[in-house]
Amino acid sequence: MTTPQSQGTPEAGPAPRLKKIVPPTATPGAVWLTSLFAVALIALGGVAIRDICVDQKWISGSGWIAAASRWIGDLSWQAWFWAVAIALIVVGLFFVWTAIRPRSKTHIALDGAGTVDGYSPSTWTRKVDVARRASAVARQHAGVTRADSTVKRRKVVTRITTTDEAPADTDAVRAAIAESIATVLPKHSVKVKTVTLKTPKSQTPPPAAGRPSLPEPIVESDTDDETGPTEASGSTVSTTKEVHS
């Protein structure tokens, strides 16, 4: 009798009945064409049901399919049929190409992400995520106020915004981005475009407005109401009253 321990450790490799891991791909283009054909067939079925109702005298009217068939049967060859024939050939070739065209890849494999049952890679990312990573790395450098990145077929383009007072080091930004995406896009080149904003010159502030001066006091003579004491000489001394506003 043998035990699992006596049988030894099984060799690493793909598990049985496990499909090989393939990169994620976009939806086939034929899906959209077949969807349009399905809608057209549903519409044609609705027309057929209507013609059946007309034939059974359930509704009034004339059959559309029968009238279209008679119109096509009565047609004779015309010169403009050549253009229609060529157009139909082009459309048919387009349908064939759409059906056999390989689906575009939507994700990028990450190197060194490990294996799953002997298959590698097992982790994928999108181009938009790589662009976000490049922008985040660029914004970490001094002098970079804004960064936007785009991943193209052969290169990664990053646009950074800086100021003329504290400009960013473009070479350092490019090297940092290249290092951050080396494991994902090792063959892509990195291009950094710089937009420099001019800092407005400082202006001397206008002098502070002084406190408004108070109006001059109004002096009124009040000889009629108030009369001072009479001196010995008999003359009267008038008093004054100040009114401040």
Side-chain angles (χ1 to χ4, degrees):
M1 181 177 180
T2 59
T3 60
Q5 289 79 5
S6 62
Q7 293 178 356
T9 304
E11 297 180 358
R17 298 183 304 276
L18 180 64
K19 294 183 179 180
K20 187 176 181 179
I21 298 176
V22 295
T25 53
T27 304
V31 171
W32 309 109
L33 293 179
T34 53
S35 300
L36 293 177
F37 275 114
V39 173
L41 290 176
I42 292 174
L44 183 60
V47 173
I49 293 174
R50 177 197 175 277
D51 287 355
I52 292 175
C53 295
V54 171
D55 184 68
Q56 297 296 324
K57 307 299 183 181
W58 294 341
I59 60 175
S60 60
S62 58
W64 292 350
I65 297 179
S69 300
R70 287 192 296 268
W71 179 77
I72 294 175
D74 294 339
L75 288 177
S76 59
W77 180 258
Q78 302 290 334
W80 57 271
F81 284 4
W82 286 109
V84 176
I86 294 174
L88 292 177
I89 291 174
V90 172
V91 172
L93 293 176
F94 173 73
F95 288 166
V96 171
W97 166 246
T98 303
I100 64 176
R101 183 181 61 181
R103 292 187 292 176
S104 59
K105 297 180 180 180
T106 58
H107 289 66
I108 305 169
L110 294 177
D111 294 341
T115 60
V116 176
D117 293 325
Y119 291 113
S120 178
S122 60
T123 305
W124 309 83
T125 186
R126 301 172 301 173
K127 288 185 177 181
V128 64
D129 298 324
V130 178
R132 290 171 180 170
R133 172 62 178 167
S135 299
V137 171
R139 283 192 291 267
Q140 292 177 358
H141 284 72
V144 178
T145 58
R146 182 178 178 181
D148 299 306
S149 300
T150 304
V151 177
K152 298 185 178 181
R153 187 174 182 181
R154 297 293 182 184
K155 60 183 177 180
V156 177
V157 180
T158 302
R159 301 170 181 84
I160 62 174
T161 304
T162 183
T163 59
D164 55 352
E165 289 188 352
D169 189 351
T170 305
D171 295 335
V173 174
R174 184 186 299 106
I177 295 175
E179 182 180 358
S180 64
I181 67 172
T183 57
V184 184
L185 301 173
K187 297 182 180 180
H188 276 56
S189 60
V190 179
K191 184 177 182 180
V192 178
K193 296 182 179 179
T194 305
V195 177
T196 304
L197 300 179
K198 294 184 178 180
T199 305
K201 301 298 182 180
S202 59
Q203 299 178 356
T204 304
R211 185 177 179 181
S213 57
L214 296 175
E216 295 294 334
I218 301 175
V219 180
E220 295 181 357
S221 176
D222 198 5
T223 58
D224 298 335
D225 298 338
E226 297 182 2
T227 306
T230 305
E231 295 182 355
S233 60
S235 62
T236 59
V237 179
S238 62
T239 61
T240 60
K241 179 174 66 175
E242 295 183 359
V243 179
H244 296 275
S245 62

